[in-house]
Amino acid sequence: MLWTAVDMERLVERLEKAVERLETVCQGPGMCGDGSSKGVAQYVQAFDALLAGSVAEYMKISKEVGGDVQKHAEMVHAGLMSERALLVMASQHQQPSENAFSSLLKPISEQIQVVQNFREKNRGSKLFNHLSAVSESIPALGWVAMAPKPGPYVKEMTDAAMFYTNRILKEYKDVDKKQVDWVKAYLSIWTELQAYIKEYHTTGLTWSKTGPVATEGAKSPSAPPAGAAPPPPGPPPPPAPAPTSCSTDDSASRSALFAQINRGEGITSGLRHVSDDMKTHKNPALKNQGGPVRSGPKPFTAPKPACNANPSPKTSPKAPALLELEGKKWRVENQENATNLVISDTELKQVAYVFKCTNSTLQIKGKINSITLDNCKKLGLVFDDVVGIVEIINSKDVKVQVMGKVPTISINKTDGCHVYLSKNSLDCEIVSAKSSEMNVLIPTEGGDFTEFPVPEQFKTVWNGQKLVTTVTEIAG
């Protein structure tokens, strides 16, 4: 998008108006007091300060980076504004019922989905690591529904972004300072949000003790501190599933049981008298009679619900299988049971991205820059030379064989990974995180391989000055 001088002038005017309005909110009489319904609650003002600080800086740098990052940032901002609307409502209303609260969270959950879908639709983006960092951490907006520990939940979501932010820092550290500043600005949003939650919402979203009970149709009179109208409401965490008729059946069954118990002595009125000649311990002849032995009545059990509480979601149509060169990126996607996939016409500047391939084998000939395996299952990869890195992410039961050389192999969020090294690649660095069942196979003189497991269990101790971590052996 090209910006003209007139556009820039209008943008500056809007920003100046936004600053003036924010200053009015924080300095106006009665607006920074006890947080009553007559003004803006203190914790709403604190959230506004976060929007005007770290969020504004993130938006500014995202605009400078431009492209997909800028578009993504606008979606994140919409989610934050939706969250602000919920905070304003909570400051003026009493806590609603669980079902009503789920409806109030819907705008935030929908915006979270918008942010994540944008990443999925732009897997070929040159700034895919930026999109992934945001997409992995944006569920942090759902802290409003995470009682009693909303703060730790935000930290967990922030940690999920670290894998991608570290990749950005590694790629641009000495190349583009703007990208480094973008990472710092984005992560600072969640760091400051944790501090905000700790101060105002330690055990969950704080609701007003006065005023009407919040409902889906309730409107928040306070506008966000911005010069222009706020963007459309954004989304919260996914709402809890609505109760099905199954729960109604269970309640009815339990009610019937308790009604019988509450009859007191009258509960035995329907029982038939058993005489001595009908009792087996007083009439042994009954034991010798043939025929099936009649059992007593079965204990009361609630009837099984006829409906399925978790109906299987509709299966979406299969994505088409791809093996194509797009610019400088080889895309191998959605391949199933393909055992003869080959990429042979390669160049040093090209990269390969392998996504969602199952029960397949891929061979990459020649020397390329990097290879990424993402969300693959039971995939075999054989390649000659890679000058950068081979990354294995979110995969299961994969086998990777190096025929030539590779400096680094990264394994993240993967269960089951066998790496076969060549004699020329024994100096390869293998970095792993959140993964299990990893094995490295080293070639022997006889042409076979010796298997070595990658450690998964560690021990960390404080030595008086720093934490020291060592590999531990599993006893047994």
Side-chain angles (χ1 to χ4, degrees):
M1 179 178 180
L2 298 177
W3 290 84
T4 64
V6 176
D7 292 330
M8 293 301 295
E9 241 178 83
R10 289 176 181 169
L11 178 62
V12 171
E13 287 177 8
R14 289 178 61 187
L15 289 173
E16 287 174 349
K17 289 179 181 178
V19 172
E20 288 175 5
R21 189 163 186 173
L22 182 59
E23 288 173 348
T24 302
V25 169
C26 293
Q27 296 175 8
M31 300 300 283
C32 296
D34 59 0
S36 67
S37 60
K38 295 180 180 178
V40 178
Q42 188 175 357
Y43 66 67
V44 176
Q45 297 172 34
F47 192 80
D48 288 342
L50 188 150
L51 292 175
S54 56
V55 174
E57 181 67 12
Y58 159 68
M59 295 297 294
K60 173 189 170 186
I61 299 176
S62 295
K63 193 168 187 177
E64 293 173 358
V65 174
D68 291 337
V69 168
Q70 181 181 357
K71 295 176 185 175
H72 220 199
E74 291 168 357
M75 298 173 189
V76 173
H77 188 264
L80 288 164
M81 297 310 294
S82 296
E83 187 139 283
R84 184 191 186 276
L86 180 63
L87 292 174
V88 172
M89 179 176 290
S91 71
Q92 300 170 358
H93 295 77
Q94 296 185 53
Q95 186 169 359
S97 65
E98 195 170 319
N99 287 341
F101 187 40
S102 296
S103 299
L104 295 175
L105 293 173
K106 190 175 180 181
I108 300 176
S109 63
E110 288 175 351
Q111 195 62 23
I112 291 173
Q113 195 63 45
V114 168
V115 172
Q116 294 181 327
N117 287 343
F118 185 80
R119 189 271 292 263
E120 295 304 317
K121 293 176 181 177
N122 292 275
R123 286 190 166 272
S125 173
K126 294 180 180 178
L127 301 172
F128 183 70
N129 286 332
H130 297 66
L131 305 185
S132 296
V134 173
S135 183
E136 291 290 330
S137 54
I138 195 64
L141 291 179
W143 68 265
V144 289
M146 292 299 167
K149 295 182 178 181
Y153 172 75
V154 174
K155 184 179 186 306
E156 183 182 345
M157 294 299 101
T158 307
D159 291 344
M162 298 298 287
F163 173 73
Y164 295 100
T165 55
N166 287 340
R167 292 172 69 176
I168 298 170
L169 294 175
K170 183 179 179 181
E171 183 177 355
Y172 294 102
K173 185 177 180 181
D174 301 317
V175 179
D176 189 347
K177 185 176 182 297
K178 187 186 300 180
Q179 307 290 347
V180 177
D181 291 340
W182 182 89
V183 169
K184 292 178 181 177
Y186 180 70
L187 293 180
S188 69
I189 294 175
W190 306 119
T191 303
E192 292 182 22
L193 182 61
Q194 290 176 56
Y196 165 80
I197 292 171
K198 186 176 181 181
E199 183 172 356
Y200 297 103
H201 310 276
T202 309
T203 58
L205 178 60
T206 302
W207 292 86
S208 173
K209 295 182 180 179
T210 59
V213 175
T215 61
E216 187 177 1
K219 300 293 182 182
S220 302
S222 297
T244 63
S245 60
C246 309
S247 59
T248 306
D249 294 341
D250 279 348
S251 299
S253 300
R254 284 192 291 269
S255 298
L257 172 62
F258 290 130
Q260 290 183 16
I261 294 174
N262 290 334
R263 290 170 59 191
E265 294 181 359
I267 196 172
T268 62
S269 59
L271 299 181
R272 182 166 59 91
H273 176 69
V274 180
S275 59
D276 287 348
D277 61 341
M278 299 171 66
K279 300 175 182 176
T280 55
H281 66 285
K282 290 188 176 182
N283 189 358
L286 291 176
K287 296 181 181 180
N288 300 326
Q289 292 178 359
V293 179
R294 295 181 61 186
S295 60
K298 293 182 179 180
F300 179 91
T301 56
K304 292 184 179 180
C307 60
N308 184 2
N310 295 308
S312 56
K314 293 181 180 178
T315 55
S316 55
K318 280 187 177 181
L322 292 179
L323 198 165
E324 63 182 16
L325 179 62
E326 186 180 87
K328 295 180 181 179
K329 175 185 285 189
W330 282 98
R331 294 178 59 190
V332 185
E333 301 180 7
N334 306 307
Q335 299 283 351
E336 291 187 11
N337 303 314
T339 57
N340 57 348
L341 301 173
V342 179
I343 297 176
S344 56
D345 188 13
T346 58
E347 296 178 5
L348 185 58
K349 293 182 180 181
Q350 293 175 348
V351 300
Y353 180 70
V354 186
F355 174 69
K356 219 166 187 178
C357 293
T358 306
N359 291 322
S360 300
T361 303
L362 171 65
Q363 182 179 4
I364 301 178
K365 298 180 179 181
K367 183 181 291 187
I368 66 173
N369 188 276
S370 66
I371 302 173
T372 299
L373 305 186
D374 186 1
N375 205 9
C376 294
K377 186 176 181 181
K378 295 184 178 179
L379 174 74
L381 170 67
V382 181
F383 64 92
D384 291 344
D385 296 284
V386 168
V387 297
I389 186 173
V390 173
E391 296 175 292
I392 305 162
I393 311 169
N394 295 321
S395 296
K396 187 174 182 180
D397 298 332
V398 297
K399 295 182 179 181
V400 176
Q401 183 168 4
V402 188
M403 304 305 293
K405 292 199 69 173
V406 59
T408 307
I409 296 177
S410 172
I411 307 172
N412 190 271
K413 297 181 182 179
T414 294
D415 296 321
C417 181
H418 287 68
V419 178
Y420 294 79
L421 297 178
S422 65
K423 292 182 179 179
N424 294 330
S425 61
L426 296 179
D427 57 348
C428 168
E429 293 182 358
I430 298 176
V431 182
S432 60
K434 297 183 180 179
S435 299
S436 63
E437 300 178 33
M438 299 171 288
N439 294 280
V440 179
L441 293 94
I442 307 298
T444 63
E445 293 296 332
D448 294 328
F449 287 88
T450 303
E451 185 172 344
F452 296 90
V454 177
E456 299 175 25
Q457 182 170 301
F458 305 91
K459 177 179 69 176
T460 301
V461 296
W462 175 253
N463 69 355
Q465 295 180 332
K466 62 180 182 179
L467 293 175
V468 178
T469 301
T470 56
V471 176
T472 61
E473 298 290 341
I474 300 178

